[in-house]
Amino acid sequence: MAADASLNAIPDGILAAAEYENHAANHLADSTLAWLRGGSGNEYTLRANQQAFQSLNIRPQLLNNFSQASTRLKLCGTKLESPMLLAPVGHQHLLHKEGELAVTRAAEVSATCLVASTMSSLTLEVIAEASNSAKWFQLYWQPRREDTLDLIRRAEGAAYEALVLTLDTPLQVLSHRAQRAGFAQLKSTTPANLKDYKPLPQRALAPNQSILLHGMMSEAPDWEDLAWLLETTTLPVIVKGVAHPDDAFRLQSMGVAGQIVSNHGGRSLDGMPASLHLLPAIRDVLGAHYPLLLDGGIRSGTDIFKAIASGADAVLIGRLQAYALAVAGALGVAHMLKLLRDELELCMALAGTPTLNDIGPQCLMGAI
Amino acid sequence: MAADASLNAIPDGILAAAEYENHAANHLADSTLAWLRGGSGNEYTLRANQQAFQSLNIRPQLLNNFSQASTRLKLCGTKLESPMLLAPVGHQHLLHKEGELAVTRAAEVSATCLVASTMSSLTLEVIAEASNSAKWFQLYWQPRREDTLDLIRRAEGAAYEALVLTLDTPLQVLSHRAQRAGFAQLKSTTPANLKDYKPLPQRALAPNQSILLHGMMSEAPDWEDLAWLLETTTLPVIVKGVAHPDDAFRLQSMGVAGQIVSNHGGRSLDGMPASLHLLPAIRDVLGAHYPLLLDGGIRSGTDIFKAIASGADAVLIGRLQAYALAVAGALGVAHMLKLLRDELELCMALAGTPTLNDIGPQCLMGAI
Amino acid sequence: MAADASLNAIPDGILAAAEYENHAANHLADSTLAWLRGGSGNEYTLRANQQAFQSLNIRPQLLNNFSQASTRLKLCGTKLESPMLLAPVGHQHLLHKEGELAVTRAAEVSATCLVASTMSSLTLEVIAEASNSAKWFQLYWQPRREDTLDLIRRAEGAAYEALVLTLDTPLQVLSHRAQRAGFAQLKSTTPANLKDYKPLPQRALAPNQSILLHGMMSEAPDWEDLAWLLETTTLPVIVKGVAHPDDAFRLQSMGVAGQIVSNHGGRSLDGMPASLHLLPAIRDVLGAHYPLLLDGGIRSGTDIFKAIASGADAVLIGRLQAYALAVAGALGVAHMLKLLRDELELCMALAGTPTLNDIGPQCLMGAI
Amino acid sequence: MAADASLNAIPDGILAAAEYENHAANHLADSTLAWLRGGSGNEYTLRANQQAFQSLNIRPQLLNNFSQASTRLKLCGTKLESPMLLAPVGHQHLLHKEGELAVTRAAEVSATCLVASTMSSLTLEVIAEASNSAKWFQLYWQPRREDTLDLIRRAEGAAYEALVLTLDTPLQVLSHRAQRAGFAQLKSTTPANLKDYKPLPQRALAPNQSILLHGMMSEAPDWEDLAWLLETTTLPVIVKGVAHPDDAFRLQSMGVAGQIVSNHGGRSLDGMPASLHLLPAIRDVLGAHYPLLLDGGIRSGTDIFKAIASGADAVLIGRLQAYALAVAGALGVAHMLKLLRDELELCMALAGTPTLNDIGPQCLMGAI
């Protein structure tokens, strides 16, 4: 309840990673909790992300030999011990006083790749210094191209292994839930990474022009901007927010190194399909061997299994990361990741699939 | 609660157009609210109209350039700033003391086309005089053809730009909800437009004839009446209440200028499908370039987007108009329209569709 | 509540035929109400019968001329003013002190065909004498063929126009609801029609034989028995309880005059589909011009419309008859029938179908 | 409530086999009840097992002659009076003080085949001595092959007629419900059958190896182990836990005598489909004449009918057996089996299917 009640001790009785959500309510102010849990609009997409996993059933196979079992994979050049990454989550000082440093420590302990956010409370350099494990940098397009370039060069300099360009929310949308709860912490804060960048002068609009369509959207990137980005950096560029198979095909053709199916966790366009339901059509156009990740709705190791069976190579863990951080800092995040991994391994054992390559559509059966 | 508590000030905390419904309960007598919110029968169609929108998901596209973005269109000769019109709503003095004049003012301020109702509290001439913006006249067929003709000539004389012939309720049905709440205001009132027209003498029925099928239905128009109407006026005639593709085809062939898919807001035949679900088959028979509108269930800009993606050129706003009128008069209606338009623009921005022509079936994915 | 509180006055405020159900609770002992409302097993089929109607939507057509409108039809030689019959309901003295005589009066006043039950509280002769309108006799197969023959001859002698052979419940099943409520009135009663017939001597079963499969089922009729029946009587024979298209085809081929799709109102095999869902496949095998009726789940005139659109020529009204009888005797039943007919006529007017022949699958659209 | 309140008398008012579940709550400690009723994970599969039966409807046929009616069948050489077996349920002393002996008595009285569990409270020899009726032995693979072999030889020696090899839970999973209720009775108990077998010495794992995937799964059997088993015994081997048609085909080809579709009653991989939904595809690959059973979700005779119509030859009764045992010992189990059989016979009578061979897909219609 009180924000300072955050612990660095794991609460008793947590049997599953998903249970961190309920405990988080004891460690966050109501308005922060509303911001964290809420989605845009009527929260249709927020709910759909989780419910989608119930629409798929797993049909196990028997008697397979597990002596060569493994959850390892290599993704865009990065080696992963298991098919999960820590999703970019901004403003982590609102969740725990150690913020991104706690998550960085948990990532290292559990050998999990971290995707640091443009909107992090600490600079990308501070995060990189604190970390010895694999990390990617999540990039928000900046109003001035020179600022975007600066962010890229800084990420390259700090040894991030890939850039994750977020495109699923050309405009930032604050949920009604957060607005009603009086959440206002972000208004007065400039994220640490962006302190030296200045906003554009206000754009003059003609009488018939829309603030939204002509004002704000003039700062969103387009296909040309992406082409420039791909030429500018030597890091692999991964696009987050892909929903349409036509876009997936075009991005692959342009040289994008990997893609993340995402609806921004139900925080952008309310009415988007669940991430899980978007996957199969996109895997179809990309072919079997192109890196594809899923973000949105993962609450258990069984969910991870279903995402992989539906076409993902790996998944991003967003809200569960935030809940565990709020509950018990680095220890909480590490424990949550351990639970998720145990759940995935149990699911693989019971489904009879010793390696990630054994998990595919043949393991699934639509729920009736 | 008390009918005279109507404000001309926007209540605090309204974040979405849909929220006007809840506020309306504070500004209307219970029986009037029951009349306004209720639908016929078991209110199946009333609920279906809104729920249908949840059966469709939007699949955004990325990186499209918005420098030429626009929500404008031209419909049956009328220029619209955005794809929404104010639906014909009768008896507006029951909702706010300024009634149709408030709505007319809001229409002008927000450059929205108004469809004035035959059943309005004020005459079509008074409404027309108060207005400088585009307006259409909604026509109910009168028992005597000379009275129908008189209404047409009056609408032509008052510079209405089109006639909207309502056919989705050959009989007026009062909802059980309104009957139970004791709503009786309409019994003793003759609408202003019809003051000079006399009812037909009571029709003598044979012993085996039905008051309903042979009495009341004898005053409903048929295909011959429509042919006469089309020859009689030079205004474009738009038919409201189309549900069957066969009718849509025949109406188009006869020279009807546009059509509105509608189930009278769930106030006529309970058991009709949601308007949204009727759209695609009707668009199919009419071809891509014939004016087609949707009436029924719109509560947000995202709903408008889905209607357009399903085949509509524009939508009519009925109950939201009435709720906003009851809450805050002209200011309320203008504010509600502004919210709807902002919601539509946000949806277009997030869906990656800069113009109405970019919105189509490829943007949709059925909910699972 | 008290069984003697039955009225012969219509309660205030009844706006729809379906509302008689709620009022019935005020006029029946709890155990009788449990018997009347209950279904077998988990009451799955009981609920499905009603819910099925919500799975169909009506898509109206516009501008049709109603000058030749009519709800009349001729069915197995009997002329009907509207497409509904009073279903066979036994033991009516448990519902109202005037029992079958009240229903007979209501049938005559409203020109509705009555199907008198083998299990009626009064003999078929007493019912026939009290009635001047069309009536059919519902036949339960008797353990002794000579008793079945006697019932047939009595029905012929009393001027019944058709025999309705009930086959949907080869065994009588008392609902758990009625058992739990302590309903026991039927145990000690022999129905008036069967007073002179003696039970068979108890059948000796071998040790491995089942009381149910070999004992009770030995008294159920088979295909040979039906062949005998068809040769024995000159009355048209209508079979009630058809569910499988193969049976429908065989019955038609044997010379059965008409069929009733029925699951015994959810009082026989729990787990049967809703009657409405059984209709289309059966109409398909029977062709367009063979008499087919629906029994089960009708609560409104719109339900009747949907049944006809799904392939029925007419429907039977069972529970609504019983509820109205309990509430207000002959007056209640007549009023309920009037409401149903008004509801059907309103539905036809709004759907644009002037006659029963205009109602067909083209009027329907599956609910989504 | 109190564990010692177990009765040997049937409670009043039980009208259906399914009702034993509610009564069991009065006879078991809360933690034991949680263990018995619970499923793994979110209990999705536990619920699905029962709900699946509601997705199928039964379409009866009329007028079939029942003089040769029968519920008998022969399965893997064992003659059954009706198509149900008592599923293997371990640790029965937790449910009733007479444990497996009570169930053995009930099996004999009702001529039902018993499948004795490896995990039974009493040894397989004690159970066999107490029984004169047909029985099979359920085999869990043991960490040492010589112990598995010993169990097989003991079962052969004690005149069990078949071996049921359970493969649907390579790891034992305790439900969250049981953990939360503090259920711990199994930790300190070695089942009677396994008293003389010693655990393997703890396996040394490399740093990157998983306790679960490399440690625990190294003790699970694989295809080679099964081949050995089939060569080792002359008893028919039936595999329990088949879910995938590919496995079903391979098992049949290897000489497995019969198969049981099962998800371990929702106690193993949460997210598996309902057993009923797995059946049809597996029956398809196995052909019509190969022994196939269903385990999971049976609560009534109608459920048994639907399982047979979906492709099963017979079903296993697990939880209902345990509930009835807890409520009234041998008498309870015998009564529950009698109710199930009566329900099945009633269903067959009402569905018009005199023998098990008459029950097939043509009796079913998907629920809408």
Side-chain angles (χ1 to χ4, degrees), chain B residues 34-35 37-49 51 175-178 180 265-267 270-271 319:
Chain B
W35 163 68
R37 298 177 81 168
S40 53
N42 296 317
E43 303 191 338
Y44 170 86
T45 299
L46 179 74
R47 289 187 300 275
N49 269 353
Q51 290 169 353
S175 77
H176 295 171
R177 200 199 290 211
R180 289 214 180 82
R267 301 168 90 92
D270 193 42
R319 275 189 178 79

PDB file of all heavy atoms in Angstrom, chain B residues 34-35 37-49 51 175-178 180 265-267 270-271 319:
ATOM      1  N   ALA B  34     -35.893   6.057 -18.931  1.00  0.00           N
ATOM      2  CA  ALA B  34     -36.304   4.719 -19.378  1.00  0.00           C
ATOM      3  C   ALA B  34     -36.697   4.761 -20.857  1.00  0.00           C
ATOM      4  O   ALA B  34     -36.361   3.871 -21.638  1.00  0.00           O
ATOM      5  CB  ALA B  34     -37.465   4.214 -18.530  1.00  0.00           C
ATOM      6  N   TRP B  35     -37.412   5.787 -21.255  1.00  0.00           N
ATOM      7  CA  TRP B  35     -37.810   5.942 -22.660  1.00  0.00           C
ATOM      8  C   TRP B  35     -36.566   6.079 -23.543  1.00  0.00           C
ATOM      9  O   TRP B  35     -36.461   5.460 -24.601  1.00  0.00           O
ATOM     10  CB  TRP B  35     -38.706   7.192 -22.795  1.00  0.00           C
ATOM     11  CG  TRP B  35     -38.870   7.702 -24.194  1.00  0.00           C
ATOM     12  CD1 TRP B  35     -39.536   7.069 -25.217  1.00  0.00           C
ATOM     13  CD2 TRP B  35     -38.363   8.931 -24.728  1.00  0.00           C
ATOM     14  NE1 TRP B  35     -39.472   7.834 -26.355  1.00  0.00           N
ATOM     15  CE2 TRP B  35     -38.754   8.987 -26.091  1.00  0.00           C
ATOM     16  CE3 TRP B  35     -37.623   9.984 -24.200  1.00  0.00           C
ATOM     17  CZ2 TRP B  35     -38.430  10.055 -26.920  1.00  0.00           C
ATOM     18  CZ3 TRP B  35     -37.305  11.050 -25.026  1.00  0.00           C
ATOM     19  CH2 TRP B  35     -37.702  11.084 -26.368  1.00  0.00           C
ATOM     20  N   ARG B  37     -33.287   5.265 -22.914  1.00  0.00           N
ATOM     21  CA  ARG B  37     -32.323   4.159 -22.932  1.00  0.00           C
ATOM     22  C   ARG B  37     -32.933   2.856 -23.408  1.00  0.00           C
ATOM     23  O   ARG B  37     -32.213   1.968 -23.862  1.00  0.00           O
ATOM     24  CB  ARG B  37     -31.761   3.934 -21.525  1.00  0.00           C
ATOM     25  CG  ARG B  37     -31.014   5.122 -21.001  1.00  0.00           C
ATOM     26  CD  ARG B  37     -30.533   4.900 -19.587  1.00  0.00           C
ATOM     27  NE  ARG B  37     -29.311   4.124 -19.567  1.00  0.00           N
ATOM     28  CZ  ARG B  37     -28.548   3.980 -18.488  1.00  0.00           C
ATOM     29  NH1 ARG B  37     -28.903   4.565 -17.352  1.00  0.00           N
ATOM     30  NH2 ARG B  37     -27.448   3.272 -18.536  1.00  0.00           N
ATOM     31  N   GLY B  38     -34.240   2.701 -23.265  1.00  0.00           N
ATOM     32  CA  GLY B  38     -34.873   1.406 -23.499  1.00  0.00           C
ATOM     33  C   GLY B  38     -34.885   0.998 -24.958  1.00  0.00           C
ATOM     34  O   GLY B  38     -34.702   1.805 -25.869  1.00  0.00           O
ATOM     35  N   GLY B  39     -35.087  -0.299 -25.173  1.00  0.00           N
ATOM     36  CA  GLY B  39     -35.313  -0.850 -26.498  1.00  0.00           C
ATOM     37  C   GLY B  39     -36.566  -1.694 -26.462  1.00  0.00           C
ATOM     38  O   GLY B  39     -37.142  -1.920 -25.399  1.00  0.00           O
ATOM     39  N   SER B  40     -37.004  -2.176 -27.604  1.00  0.00           N
ATOM     40  CA  SER B  40     -38.229  -2.974 -27.654  1.00  0.00           C
ATOM     41  C   SER B  40     -37.963  -4.386 -27.117  1.00  0.00           C
ATOM     42  O   SER B  40     -36.819  -4.823 -27.010  1.00  0.00           O
ATOM     43  CB  SER B  40     -38.755  -3.036 -29.081  1.00  0.00           C
ATOM     44  OG  SER B  40     -37.730  -3.488 -29.942  1.00  0.00           O
ATOM     45  N   GLY B  41     -39.052  -5.064 -26.771  1.00  0.00           N
ATOM     46  CA  GLY B  41     -38.994  -6.479 -26.366  1.00  0.00           C
ATOM     47  C   GLY B  41     -38.048  -6.731 -25.212  1.00  0.00           C
ATOM     48  O   GLY B  41     -38.094  -6.069 -24.174  1.00  0.00           O
ATOM     49  N   ASN B  42     -37.186  -7.707 -25.378  1.00  0.00           N
ATOM     50  CA  ASN B  42     -36.217  -8.046 -24.341  1.00  0.00           C
ATOM     51  C   ASN B  42     -34.918  -7.267 -24.479  1.00  0.00           C
ATOM     52  O   ASN B  42     -33.936  -7.593 -23.829  1.00  0.00           O
ATOM     53  CB  ASN B  42     -35.927  -9.548 -24.374  1.00  0.00           C
ATOM     54  CG  ASN B  42     -37.146 -10.365 -24.031  1.00  0.00           C
ATOM     55  OD1 ASN B  42     -37.885 -10.040 -23.106  1.00  0.00           O
ATOM     56  ND2 ASN B  42     -37.397 -11.409 -24.807  1.00  0.00           N
ATOM     57  N   GLU B  43     -34.891  -6.293 -25.356  1.00  0.00           N
ATOM     58  CA  GLU B  43     -33.720  -5.419 -25.559  1.00  0.00           C
ATOM     59  C   GLU B  43     -32.506  -6.201 -26.054  1.00  0.00           C
ATOM     60  O   GLU B  43     -31.366  -5.818 -25.824  1.00  0.00           O
ATOM     61  CB  GLU B  43     -33.400  -4.632 -24.277  1.00  0.00           C
ATOM     62  CG  GLU B  43     -34.605  -3.809 -23.826  1.00  0.00           C
ATOM     63  CD  GLU B  43     -34.312  -2.803 -22.728  1.00  0.00           C
ATOM     64  OE1 GLU B  43     -33.319  -2.977 -21.998  1.00  0.00           O
ATOM     65  OE2 GLU B  43     -35.075  -1.805 -22.621  1.00  0.00           O
ATOM     66  N   TYR B  44     -32.774  -7.305 -26.746  1.00  0.00           N
ATOM     67  CA  TYR B  44     -31.690  -8.083 -27.338  1.00  0.00           C
ATOM     68  C   TYR B  44     -30.931  -7.254 -28.375  1.00  0.00           C
ATOM     69  O   TYR B  44     -29.697  -7.195 -28.357  1.00  0.00           O
ATOM     70  CB  TYR B  44     -32.256  -9.352 -27.985  1.00  0.00           C
ATOM     71  CG  TYR B  44     -31.249 -10.088 -28.808  1.00  0.00           C
ATOM     72  CD1 TYR B  44     -30.394 -11.013 -28.222  1.00  0.00           C
ATOM     73  CD2 TYR B  44     -31.124  -9.838 -30.168  1.00  0.00           C
ATOM     74  CE1 TYR B  44     -29.434 -11.669 -28.971  1.00  0.00           C
ATOM     75  CE2 TYR B  44     -30.165 -10.488 -30.923  1.00  0.00           C
ATOM     76  CZ  TYR B  44     -29.326 -11.397 -30.316  1.00  0.00           C
ATOM     77  OH  TYR B  44     -28.376 -12.033 -31.065  1.00  0.00           O
ATOM     78  N   THR B  45     -31.661  -6.646 -29.286  1.00  0.00           N
ATOM     79  CA  THR B  45     -31.029  -5.884 -30.372  1.00  0.00           C
ATOM     80  C   THR B  45     -30.333  -4.645 -29.830  1.00  0.00           C
ATOM     81  O   THR B  45     -29.248  -4.266 -30.294  1.00  0.00           O
ATOM     82  CB  THR B  45     -32.081  -5.519 -31.435  1.00  0.00           C
ATOM     83  OG1 THR B  45     -32.622  -6.734 -31.968  1.00  0.00           O
ATOM     84  CG2 THR B  45     -31.479  -4.704 -32.565  1.00  0.00           C
ATOM     85  N   LEU B  46     -30.953  -4.020 -28.836  1.00  0.00           N
ATOM     86  CA  LEU B  46     -30.318  -2.882 -28.174  1.00  0.00           C
ATOM     87  C   LEU B  46     -28.919  -3.244 -27.688  1.00  0.00           C
ATOM     88  O   LEU B  46     -27.941  -2.536 -27.947  1.00  0.00           O
ATOM     89  CB  LEU B  46     -31.192  -2.451 -26.984  1.00  0.00           C
ATOM     90  CG  LEU B  46     -30.689  -1.293 -26.132  1.00  0.00           C
ATOM     91  CD1 LEU B  46     -30.853   0.025 -26.858  1.00  0.00           C
ATOM     92  CD2 LEU B  46     -31.422  -1.236 -24.789  1.00  0.00           C
ATOM     93  N   ARG B  47     -28.807  -4.356 -26.984  1.00  0.00           N
ATOM     94  CA  ARG B  47     -27.494  -4.785 -26.495  1.00  0.00           C
ATOM     95  C   ARG B  47     -26.574  -5.215 -27.637  1.00  0.00           C
ATOM     96  O   ARG B  47     -25.383  -4.920 -27.638  1.00  0.00           O
ATOM     97  CB  ARG B  47     -27.641  -5.963 -25.513  1.00  0.00           C
ATOM     98  CG  ARG B  47     -28.232  -5.589 -24.175  1.00  0.00           C
ATOM     99  CD  ARG B  47     -28.175  -6.776 -23.202  1.00  0.00           C
ATOM    100  NE  ARG B  47     -28.913  -7.926 -23.692  1.00  0.00           N
ATOM    101  CZ  ARG B  47     -30.220  -8.112 -23.522  1.00  0.00           C
ATOM    102  NH1 ARG B  47     -30.942  -7.227 -22.860  1.00  0.00           N
ATOM    103  NH2 ARG B  47     -30.802  -9.192 -24.011  1.00  0.00           N
ATOM    104  N   ALA B  48     -27.148  -5.921 -28.609  1.00  0.00           N
ATOM    105  CA  ALA B  48     -26.332  -6.443 -29.713  1.00  0.00           C
ATOM    106  C   ALA B  48     -25.660  -5.300 -30.476  1.00  0.00           C
ATOM    107  O   ALA B  48     -24.505  -5.425 -30.905  1.00  0.00           O
ATOM    108  CB  ALA B  48     -27.187  -7.284 -30.655  1.00  0.00           C
ATOM    109  N   ASN B  49     -26.356  -4.205 -30.658  1.00  0.00           N
ATOM    110  CA  ASN B  49     -25.784  -3.069 -31.390  1.00  0.00           C
ATOM    111  C   ASN B  49     -24.437  -2.654 -30.812  1.00  0.00           C
ATOM    112  O   ASN B  49     -23.492  -2.382 -31.548  1.00  0.00           O
ATOM    113  CB  ASN B  49     -26.745  -1.865 -31.335  1.00  0.00           C
ATOM    114  CG  ASN B  49     -27.719  -1.858 -32.505  1.00  0.00           C
ATOM    115  OD1 ASN B  49     -27.608  -2.662 -33.436  1.00  0.00           O
ATOM    116  ND2 ASN B  49     -28.682  -0.949 -32.466  1.00  0.00           N
ATOM    117  N   GLN B  51     -22.559  -4.523 -28.466  1.00  0.00           N
ATOM    118  CA  GLN B  51     -21.629  -5.643 -28.307  1.00  0.00           C
ATOM    119  C   GLN B  51     -20.960  -6.039 -29.618  1.00  0.00           C
ATOM    120  O   GLN B  51     -19.850  -6.566 -29.619  1.00  0.00           O
ATOM    121  CB  GLN B  51     -22.369  -6.851 -27.712  1.00  0.00           C
ATOM    122  CG  GLN B  51     -22.761  -6.625 -26.256  1.00  0.00           C
ATOM    123  CD  GLN B  51     -23.725  -7.682 -25.727  1.00  0.00           C
ATOM    124  OE1 GLN B  51     -24.194  -8.515 -26.485  1.00  0.00           O
ATOM    125  NE2 GLN B  51     -24.040  -7.605 -24.444  1.00  0.00           N
ATOM    126  N   SER B 175     -41.094   0.796 -25.609  1.00  0.00           N
ATOM    127  CA  SER B 175     -40.413  -0.286 -24.900  1.00  0.00           C
ATOM    128  C   SER B 175     -41.124  -0.618 -23.596  1.00  0.00           C
ATOM    129  O   SER B 175     -41.763   0.229 -22.978  1.00  0.00           O
ATOM    130  CB  SER B 175     -38.967   0.106 -24.598  1.00  0.00           C
ATOM    131  OG  SER B 175     -38.916   1.004 -23.515  1.00  0.00           O
ATOM    132  N   HIS B 176     -40.998  -1.893 -23.179  1.00  0.00           N
ATOM    133  CA  HIS B 176     -41.559  -2.302 -21.891  1.00  0.00           C
ATOM    134  C   HIS B 176     -40.959  -1.481 -20.758  1.00  0.00           C
ATOM    135  O   HIS B 176     -41.623  -1.135 -19.800  1.00  0.00           O
ATOM    136  CB  HIS B 176     -41.287  -3.793 -21.641  1.00  0.00           C
ATOM    137  CG  HIS B 176     -41.990  -4.692 -22.614  1.00  0.00           C
ATOM    138  ND1 HIS B 176     -41.752  -6.031 -22.697  1.00  0.00           N
ATOM    139  CD2 HIS B 176     -42.927  -4.428 -23.554  1.00  0.00           C
ATOM    140  CE1 HIS B 176     -42.514  -6.564 -23.632  1.00  0.00           C
ATOM    141  NE2 HIS B 176     -43.228  -5.609 -24.181  1.00  0.00           N
ATOM    142  N   ARG B 177     -39.675  -1.182 -20.905  1.00  0.00           N
ATOM    143  CA  ARG B 177     -39.000  -0.408 -19.867  1.00  0.00           C
ATOM    144  C   ARG B 177     -39.683   0.940 -19.675  1.00  0.00           C
ATOM    145  O   ARG B 177     -39.963   1.351 -18.545  1.00  0.00           O
ATOM    146  CB  ARG B 177     -37.538  -0.196 -20.275  1.00  0.00           C
ATOM    147  CG  ARG B 177     -36.626   0.141 -19.141  1.00  0.00           C
ATOM    148  CD  ARG B 177     -35.334   0.791 -19.561  1.00  0.00           C
ATOM    149  NE  ARG B 177     -34.401  -0.066 -20.263  1.00  0.00           N
ATOM    150  CZ  ARG B 177     -33.074   0.102 -20.185  1.00  0.00           C
ATOM    151  NH1 ARG B 177     -32.560   1.038 -19.401  1.00  0.00           N
ATOM    152  NH2 ARG B 177     -32.268  -0.655 -20.886  1.00  0.00           N
ATOM    153  N   ALA B 178     -39.978   1.595 -20.788  1.00  0.00           N
ATOM    154  CA  ALA B 178     -40.640   2.896 -20.697  1.00  0.00           C
ATOM    155  C   ALA B 178     -42.061   2.750 -20.171  1.00  0.00           C
ATOM    156  O   ALA B 178     -42.517   3.545 -19.344  1.00  0.00           O
ATOM    157  CB  ALA B 178     -40.638   3.572 -22.067  1.00  0.00           C
ATOM    158  N   ARG B 180     -43.213   0.448 -18.161  1.00  0.00           N
ATOM    159  CA  ARG B 180     -43.180   0.161 -16.727  1.00  0.00           C
ATOM    160  C   ARG B 180     -42.801   1.384 -15.905  1.00  0.00           C
ATOM    161  O   ARG B 180     -43.215   1.520 -14.759  1.00  0.00           O
ATOM    162  CB  ARG B 180     -42.176  -0.961 -16.449  1.00  0.00           C
ATOM    163  CG  ARG B 180     -42.657  -2.275 -16.952  1.00  0.00           C
ATOM    164  CD  ARG B 180     -42.226  -3.453 -16.093  1.00  0.00           C
ATOM    165  NE  ARG B 180     -42.790  -4.643 -16.748  1.00  0.00           N
ATOM    166  CZ  ARG B 180     -42.239  -5.254 -17.784  1.00  0.00           C
ATOM    167  NH1 ARG B 180     -41.082  -4.840 -18.269  1.00  0.00           N
ATOM    168  NH2 ARG B 180     -42.840  -6.282 -18.343  1.00  0.00           N
ATOM    169  N   GLY B 265     -32.167   1.664 -33.683  1.00  0.00           N
ATOM    170  CA  GLY B 265     -31.542   1.714 -32.354  1.00  0.00           C
ATOM    171  C   GLY B 265     -32.078   0.669 -31.405  1.00  0.00           C
ATOM    172  O   GLY B 265     -32.113   0.882 -30.189  1.00  0.00           O
ATOM    173  N   GLY B 266     -32.502  -0.480 -31.936  1.00  0.00           N
ATOM    174  CA  GLY B 266     -33.050  -1.512 -31.057  1.00  0.00           C
ATOM    175  C   GLY B 266     -34.426  -1.168 -30.536  1.00  0.00           C
ATOM    176  O   GLY B 266     -34.905  -1.783 -29.582  1.00  0.00           O
ATOM    177  N   ARG B 267     -35.097  -0.206 -31.168  1.00  0.00           N
ATOM    178  CA  ARG B 267     -36.419   0.238 -30.703  1.00  0.00           C
ATOM    179  C   ARG B 267     -37.547  -0.255 -31.597  1.00  0.00           C
ATOM    180  O   ARG B 267     -38.696   0.149 -31.412  1.00  0.00           O
ATOM    181  CB  ARG B 267     -36.470   1.763 -30.649  1.00  0.00           C
ATOM    182  CG  ARG B 267     -35.418   2.360 -29.731  1.00  0.00           C
ATOM    183  CD  ARG B 267     -35.307   3.864 -29.913  1.00  0.00           C
ATOM    184  NE  ARG B 267     -36.197   4.594 -29.037  1.00  0.00           N
ATOM    185  CZ  ARG B 267     -35.861   5.036 -27.826  1.00  0.00           C
ATOM    186  NH1 ARG B 267     -34.640   4.833 -27.367  1.00  0.00           N
ATOM    187  NH2 ARG B 267     -36.726   5.686 -27.089  1.00  0.00           N
ATOM    188  N   ASP B 270     -37.338  -6.315 -32.010  1.00  0.00           N
ATOM    189  CA  ASP B 270     -36.315  -6.929 -31.162  1.00  0.00           C
ATOM    190  C   ASP B 270     -36.012  -8.319 -31.713  1.00  0.00           C
ATOM    191  O   ASP B 270     -36.926  -9.114 -31.967  1.00  0.00           O
ATOM    192  CB  ASP B 270     -36.805  -7.029 -29.714  1.00  0.00           C
ATOM    193  CG  ASP B 270     -35.655  -7.363 -28.774  1.00  0.00           C
ATOM    194  OD1 ASP B 270     -34.560  -6.789 -28.954  1.00  0.00           O
ATOM    195  OD2 ASP B 270     -35.839  -8.201 -27.878  1.00  0.00           O
ATOM    196  N   GLY B 271     -34.744  -8.597 -31.889  1.00  0.00           N
ATOM    197  CA  GLY B 271     -34.332  -9.834 -32.541  1.00  0.00           C
ATOM    198  C   GLY B 271     -33.631  -9.553 -33.858  1.00  0.00           C
ATOM    199  O   GLY B 271     -33.141 -10.468 -34.504  1.00  0.00           O
ATOM    200  N   ARG B 319     -28.139   8.024 -29.589  1.00  0.00           N
ATOM    201  CA  ARG B 319     -28.269   8.088 -28.135  1.00  0.00           C
ATOM    202  C   ARG B 319     -27.201   8.978 -27.502  1.00  0.00           C
ATOM    203  O   ARG B 319     -27.498   9.724 -26.568  1.00  0.00           O
ATOM    204  CB  ARG B 319     -28.218   6.686 -27.531  1.00  0.00           C
ATOM    205  CG  ARG B 319     -29.579   5.997 -27.536  1.00  0.00           C
ATOM    206  CD  ARG B 319     -29.538   4.709 -26.736  1.00  0.00           C
ATOM    207  NE  ARG B 319     -30.834   4.042 -26.688  1.00  0.00           N
ATOM    208  CZ  ARG B 319     -31.353   3.306 -27.650  1.00  0.00           C
ATOM    209  NH1 ARG B 319     -30.692   3.164 -28.790  1.00  0.00           N
ATOM    210  NH2 ARG B 319     -32.537   2.740 -27.501  1.00  0.00           N
TER     211      ARG B 319
END
